[in-house]
Amino acid sequence: MAALLVLRAVALITVYGATSTVGSCPADISIYRTSSVTGGDDGDDGDGDGLDLMKMNGLWYEQAYIDLAQVGESCQVFNNTYLGEASEDLGDGSDGVGDVDGVDGVDGVDGHVMSSTSGIDQKFHVKYGPIPYTLPLHYDTTDQTGVFQRYAQYPGGKFLKFPSVVVDAVLSDDGTEYTSLSEYLCYMIGPIEYVEIRIATRSVSVTNDELEEMEDVLRGVGIQYDNLTYVDHNGCDPWP
């Protein structure tokens, strides 16, 4: 397992050593949210109705991505567990960081106080060749619906948080869960840019037309990217 962590770390170092060709990170990543995330026609800016994090719970199949850290991986699936909202008003958030930032196990972002008991836990399960591996991720909520601070839950992971946004979420016919999600992540380290795009569905497989429709949404909100890598779930083992 330690060897797999090293492989992922090497992949991330490779990312940081090369500038992405996707395009410059926006000053405000929230501009890429569709109305399904912000709340729709009422002009909600993220503080009212919008993305329901409870409906993101459960098993998802990654269908397409841009992420150099996933080089060598296959059979990518993930399981979300919503832990609840972060508490508020323990920091003024004027500089984007709450007053309690730096307290062990608690981080302040936009006036919210984050901990492992709020936000979303995600178990990202992949294979390196025949070897299964699960990467634990955590999404801290912010004061903007669908905008998160994401980090890996391994030693030192909290020191490297990435701004991430749910671009689009399609609701099931009965309204009980989302059936597809698209996520965008962009972070600048000096002149170096790290970008991720992830498209996921509840279904193990999707048609080319369905994928094209989800990609059109990304382009429609202004996200520029090169070719996606597509995941083939044929022959993959069930989620453990």
Side-chain angles (χ1 to χ4, degrees):
M1 191 63 66
L4 293 178
L5 280 173
V6 171
L7 283 174
R8 255 198 165 256
V10 169
L12 285 172
I13 291 170
T14 302
V15 172
Y16 298 142
T19 303
S20 169
T21 60
V22 175
S24 298
C25 296
D28 181 5
I29 201 169
S30 70
I31 63 173
Y32 292 139
R33 298 174 298 169
T34 63
S35 60
S36 69
V37 178
T38 62
D41 297 334
D42 60 1
D44 173 44
D45 63 0
D47 296 325
D49 293 336
L51 189 71
D52 186 339
L53 301 187
M54 284 290 294
K55 295 176 182 178
M56 292 172 58
N57 273 343
L59 181 62
W60 292 88
Y61 295 88
E62 188 172 87
Q63 301 293 347
Y65 65 90
I66 291 175
D67 180 7
L68 289 179
Q70 291 191 45
V71 171
E73 297 179 353
S74 63
C75 298
Q76 295 95 318
V77 298
F78 58 89
N79 201 310
N80 287 336
T81 302
Y82 175 52
L83 304 176
E85 289 297 324
S87 59
E88 299 185 27
D89 300 329
L90 293 184
D92 60 16
S94 60
D95 59 355
V97 179
D99 294 339
V100 297
D101 195 23
V103 177
D104 186 27
V106 180
D107 300 306
V109 180
D110 295 333
H112 285 58
V113 177
M114 310 305 175
S115 75
S116 59
T117 60
S118 66
I120 296 174
D121 274 347
Q122 182 178 108
K123 305 302 183 186
F124 185 48
H125 185 73
V126 306
K127 276 191 170 182
Y128 278 104
I131 304 173
Y133 169 67
T134 299
L135 174 68
L137 299 171
H138 185 78
Y139 291 74
D140 283 338
T141 56
T142 70
D143 62 352
Q144 293 178 295
T145 300
V147 180
F148 303 90
Q149 294 287 324
R150 197 190 84 184
Y151 61 90
Q153 292 184 301
Y154 52 69
K158 280 192 173 184
F159 294 103
L160 187 60
K161 294 187 176 183
F162 298 95
S164 168
V165 62
V166 173
V167 176
D168 192 50
V170 176
L171 199 59
S172 61
D173 291 339
D174 62 7
T176 60
E177 64 178 11
Y178 293 116
T179 58
S180 68
L181 289 173
S182 54
E183 176 188 356
Y184 176 77
L185 182 155
C186 195
Y187 188 71
M188 298 296 298
I189 304 176
I192 300 171
E193 180 184 69
Y194 174 43
V195 172
E196 280 186 25
I197 293 174
R198 300 169 73 193
I199 294 175
T201 65
R202 298 287 189 181
S203 302
V204 65
S205 62
V206 293
T207 67
N208 290 336
D209 287 344
E210 289 171 325
L211 271 176
E212 185 176 347
E213 184 176 346
M214 288 184 276
E215 292 180 43
D216 285 344
V217 171
L218 295 173
R219 296 188 180 97
V221 296
I223 294 175
Q224 301 177 26
Y225 62 90
D226 298 325
N227 295 329
L228 295 169
T229 299
Y230 299 98
V231 180
D232 183 3
H233 290 281
N234 289 322
C236 293
D237 296 329
W239 173 262

